């Protein structure tokens, strides 16, 4: 079926016009998952029977012109850190491998209200505590561009599924790069919204660095999801007191220059380029591809300025906030069942156990300093750009220990350009920007001031029109 690699918006249009059925599209995706996912491991749970039943019900409603919701009848995938009532929700953990959720997550409730078909739950490292996707439940999640290579993480299953043509939309979450890392390694678009844009439910601590967001082949499909998942909710006091993001009908008609003139009283952008955030440099190949993508904006009159940003030693602060936020919800289980947790979870939880109150307070202060640094930069620059990753996808289970001649953290060293943005709270996207000599995707990261997701979507949509990454499909997975 040609519609497999259409945009979600086009698929929805065809379904609602009865030119294709939800059942046909759902069945085609499920057949592809059955055929190929044994080599990618992008799903932890496949919702085959219920998905087909749901699709059939959607078609029956559509036949009566009873369409309820922006996603009605569209097959999508949800990360297995998101509880869905009555569905297995393992959190990527051996300890909860048989868990059936008894409630719907807050974000999923918003999605559910728009009537999608749920294909299944995508693979994740345990509790999302790793930048690549491995756990004790299943083999490593792999990128369809080379099945010996990691799909990244923690939304690795989502990234792999979209890239392989198992769905047009998959939901991810990002506390240190977990949307942008797999988007880069799988050659797709992904957006981490502004901190607080997307509310969370049942969080054990104040949410300071994590956001749910969409991962898609087409920019417009991520925009569609942002309209659904953003907006204040009193169940999450850390969520921003703003209404959902709205993309008006004429939004897509504006050029970048027209949009900025209308919204910011300026037509030309001042864009900063940074090689890194005070750590190791990317390879020359990655830098060249990223700058090639930026040159598209430069050719239309926007200014690209190379700057240096040295944030100092911020990794420990991020790790402390990241590990404590998860450990609090699993403290008793960890005390009693330590050997059932993955090695990286044990590493994170041991860190959390040994943090003093003083160290944690200093970590929050560091977060605030990073936010102030970025706020100051955005007084001068409309966007900040960098490589999304210092490397392309690495061999599964072997994150790089040395990058460009410099030794890095053994578990998190390849995430050097992503986690600082979580501390900043700013929204950021991955722009697919070609391939390295091994044929592995390279990503450009664009970072905007707080609450400027629409600006990022506008710029990303223009870059997509030139770079045409949606047409780039791994050979084996083409129709």
């Amino acid at each position: 079926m040609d519609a497999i690699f259409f945009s979600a918006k086009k698929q929805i249009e065809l379904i609602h016009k009865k030119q294709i059925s939800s059942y046909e599209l759902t069945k085609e995706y499920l057949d592809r998952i059955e055929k190929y996912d044994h080599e990618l491991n992008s799903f932890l749970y496949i919702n085959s029977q219920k998905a087909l039943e749901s699709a059939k019900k959607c078609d029956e409603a559509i036949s009566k012109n009873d369409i309820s919701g922006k996603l009605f009848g569209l097959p999508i995938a949800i990360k297995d850190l998101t509880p869905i009532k009555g569905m297995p929700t393992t959190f990527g953990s051996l300890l909860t491998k048989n868990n059936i959720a008894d409630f719907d997550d807050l974000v999923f409730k918003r999605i559910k209200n728009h009537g999608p078909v749920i294909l299944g739950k995508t693979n994740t490292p345990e509790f999302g505590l790793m930048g690549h996707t491995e756990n004790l439940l299943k083999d490593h999640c792999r990128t369809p561009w080379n099945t010996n290579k990691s799909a990244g993480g923690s939304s690795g299953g989502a990234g792999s599924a979209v890239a392989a043509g198992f769905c047009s939309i998959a939901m991810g979450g990002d506390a240190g790069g977990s949307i942008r890392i797999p988007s880069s390694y799988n050659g797709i678009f992904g957006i981490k919204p502004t901190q607080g844009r997307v509310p969370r439910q049942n969080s054990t601590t104040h949410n300071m660095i994590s956001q749910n967001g969409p991962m898609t082949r087409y920019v417009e499909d991520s925009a569609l999801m942002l309209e659904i998942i953003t907006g204040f909710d009193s169940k999450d006091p850390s969520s921003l007191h703003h209404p959902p993001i709205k993309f008006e009908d004429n939004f897509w008609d504006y050029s970048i220059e027209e949009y900025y003139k209308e919204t910011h009283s300026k037509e030309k952008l001042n864009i900063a380029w940074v090689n890194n955030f005070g750590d190791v440099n990317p390879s020359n190949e990655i830098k060249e591809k990223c700058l090639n993508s930026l040159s598209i904006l430069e050719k239309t009159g926007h200014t690209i300025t190379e700057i240096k940003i040295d944030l100092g030693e911020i990794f420990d602060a991020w790790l402390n906030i990241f590990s404590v936020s998860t450990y609090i919800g699993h403290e008793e289980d960890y005390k009693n069942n330590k050997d059932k947790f993955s090695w990286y979870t044990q590493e994170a939880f041991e860190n959390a156990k040994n943090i003093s109150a003083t160290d944690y307070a200093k970590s929050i202060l560091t977060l605030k300093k990073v936010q102030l640094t970025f706020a100051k930069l955005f007084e001068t620059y409309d966007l900040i750009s960098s490589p999304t990753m210092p490397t392309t996808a690495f061999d599964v289970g072997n994150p790089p220990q040395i990058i460009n001649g410099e030794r890095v953290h053994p578990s998190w060293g390849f995430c050097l350009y992503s986690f600082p943005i979580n501390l900043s709270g700013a929204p950021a996207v991955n722009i697919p920007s070609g391939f390295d000599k091994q044929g592995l995707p390279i990503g450009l990261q664009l970072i905007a001031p707080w609450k400027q997701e629409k600006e990022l979507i506008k710029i990303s949509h223009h870059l997509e029109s030139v770079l045409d990454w949606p047409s780039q499909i791994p050979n084996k997975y083409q129709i």
Side-chain angles (χ1 to χ4, degrees):
M1 180 187 287
D2 291 343
I4 285 294
F5 289 106
F6 286 2
S7 72
K9 289 186 75 171
K10 182 64 174 178
Q11 291 172 338
I12 292 164
E13 178 187 349
L14 292 173
I15 291 170
H16 292 181
K17 288 183 176 180
K18 306 167 195 170
Q19 294 177 15
I20 62 172
S21 71
S22 174
Y23 186 92
E24 288 172 328
L25 186 58
T26 300
K27 181 69 164 59
E28 185 71 16
Y29 277 138
L30 289 170
D31 287 348
R32 286 177 64 83
I33 293 167
E34 182 178 3
K35 182 177 180 179
Y36 293 120
D37 200 46
H38 67 279
E39 60 193 26
L40 297 177
N41 305 303
S42 62
F43 282 85
L44 285 176
Y45 170 70
I46 303 168
N47 192 38
S48 300
Q49 183 178 346
K50 290 184 178 179
L52 291 171
E53 291 171 358
S54 176
K56 191 173 183 179
K57 289 178 181 177
C58 287
D59 288 331
E60 290 172 356
I62 291 168
S63 71
K64 302 171 185 175
N65 294 318
D66 182 16
I67 297 171
S68 53
K70 295 179 179 180
L71 305 173
F72 196 75
L74 179 74
I76 68 171
I78 304 293
K79 186 176 180 179
D80 201 25
L81 295 183
T82 301
I84 297 177
K85 187 175 182 179
M87 195 174 290
T89 303
T90 70
F91 305 100
S93 178
L94 193 64
L95 207 68
T96 47
K97 68 175 182 177
N98 297 317
N99 176 58
I100 305 295
D102 58 3
F103 70 98
D104 285 331
D105 176 82
L106 177 60
V107 171
F108 180 70
K109 283 181 182 177
R110 293 182 170 188
I111 295 171
K112 182 180 178 180
N113 286 339
H114 287 271
V117 172
I118 307 304
L119 292 167
K121 307 291 289 296
T122 57
N123 203 349
T124 175
E126 188 169 44
F127 310 129
L129 287 170
M130 176 57 69
H132 55 104
T133 302
E134 63 171 278
N135 53 51
L136 297 177
L137 299 176
K138 205 168 188 178
D139 187 23
H140 298 271
C141 185
R142 300 156 190 267
T143 175
W145 293 99
N146 181 334
T147 55
N148 293 316
K149 302 291 184 178
S150 172
S154 64
S155 309
S160 180
V162 171
F166 296 163
C167 56
S168 54
I169 294 175
M171 287 301 297
D174 193 317
S178 292
I179 288 172
R180 291 159 290 147
I181 295 166
S183 293
S184 180
Y185 282 1
N186 290 283
I188 64 170
F189 181 77
I191 180 167
K192 179 197 86 68
T194 301
Q195 188 59 36
R197 270 289 199 189
V198 182
R200 292 182 64 188
Q201 187 178 4
N202 296 330
S203 181
T204 51
T205 60
H206 181 78
N207 178 24
M208 290 182 276
I209 59 172
S210 178
Q211 281 290 272
N212 287 324
M215 299 168 67
T216 60
R217 188 176 297 279
Y218 294 83
V219 172
E220 64 178 2
D221 295 339
S222 282
L224 171 64
M225 294 306 294
L226 288 176
E227 289 189 321
I228 292 169
I229 65 174
T230 59
F232 174 75
D233 195 292
S234 59
K235 296 183 184 69
D236 179 5
S238 67
S239 60
L240 294 178
H241 214 289
H242 287 272
I245 298 172
K246 173 67 175 174
F247 294 90
E248 301 80 6
D249 290 341
N250 63 352
F251 173 84
W252 305 102
D253 299 328
Y254 284 117
S255 67
I256 294 174
E257 294 76 19
E258 290 169 337
Y259 183 75
Y260 269 84
K261 185 176 181 180
E262 179 76 18
T263 58
H264 297 275
S265 300
K266 64 187 302 182
E267 294 184 55
K268 301 303 180 184
L269 305 182
N270 194 6
I271 303 168
W273 161 263
V274 294
N275 286 320
N276 59 63
F277 293 95
D279 290 294
V280 302
N281 286 316
S283 69
N284 290 332
E285 193 173 20
I286 289 175
K287 179 178 179 180
E288 178 185 353
K289 294 288 186 179
C290 290
L291 289 175
N292 283 346
S293 293
L294 281 179
S295 71
I296 294 168
L297 300 175
E298 193 170 31
K299 287 173 184 174
T300 55
H302 305 292
T303 302
I304 313 296
T305 305
E306 182 168 345
I307 66 170
K308 291 185 178 180
I309 302 175
D310 191 345
L311 298 172
E313 177 46 61
I314 63 171
F315 174 76
D316 287 346
W318 170 79
L319 183 62
N320 290 346
I321 294 168
F322 180 61
S323 60
V324 167
S325 65
T326 305
Y327 175 67
I328 288 174
H330 302 281
E331 186 173 2
E332 287 304 314
D333 284 336
Y334 186 65
K335 287 177 182 177
N336 299 322
N337 300 283
K338 182 178 177 179
D339 60 337
K340 291 185 178 180
F341 290 86
S342 300
W343 66 267
Y344 53 84
T345 304
Q346 293 185 38
E347 185 180 85
F349 284 2
E350 288 300 317
N351 179 76
K353 278 175 57 180
N354 294 310
I355 296 169
S356 69
T358 299
D359 287 340
Y360 192 72
K362 288 180 178 179
S363 297
I364 295 174
L365 180 61
T366 298
L367 176 143
K368 294 299 182 184
K369 287 180 177 178
V370 171
Q371 291 178 350
L372 288 171
T373 297
F374 274 83
K376 186 69 176 175
L377 287 165
F378 285 129
E379 291 177 6
T380 302
Y381 302 102
D382 300 292
L383 289 176
I384 298 170
S385 60
S386 76
T388 303
M389 304 298 294
T391 70
T392 51
F394 49 84
D395 290 343
V396 292
N398 291 292
Q401 309 297 294
I402 297 175
I403 298 176
N404 226 9
E406 294 190 43
R407 186 163 294 279
V408 297
H409 188 280
S411 301
W412 290 99
F414 64 99
C415 308
L416 295 169
Y417 309 158
S418 56
F419 77 81
I421 314 311
N422 295 84
L423 290 175
S424 79
V429 299
N430 176 70
I431 300 293
S433 295
F435 300 85
D436 69 5
K437 292 174 183 175
Q438 300 179 74
L440 296 170
I442 290 170
L444 166 70
Q445 179 172 228
L446 298 180
I447 309 149
W450 277 52
K451 298 178 285 188
Q452 289 195 17
E453 287 86 354
K454 290 179 73 171
E455 286 79 352
L456 280 176
I457 291 292
K458 172 55 66 182
I459 293 162
S460 300
H461 190 246
H462 174 69
L463 291 173
E464 179 192 307
S465 72
V466 179
L467 294 169
D468 192 27
W469 64 74
S471 69
Q472 298 163 351
I473 302 164
N475 287 334
K476 183 174 182 178
Y477 304 91
Q478 294 177 8
I479 298 173

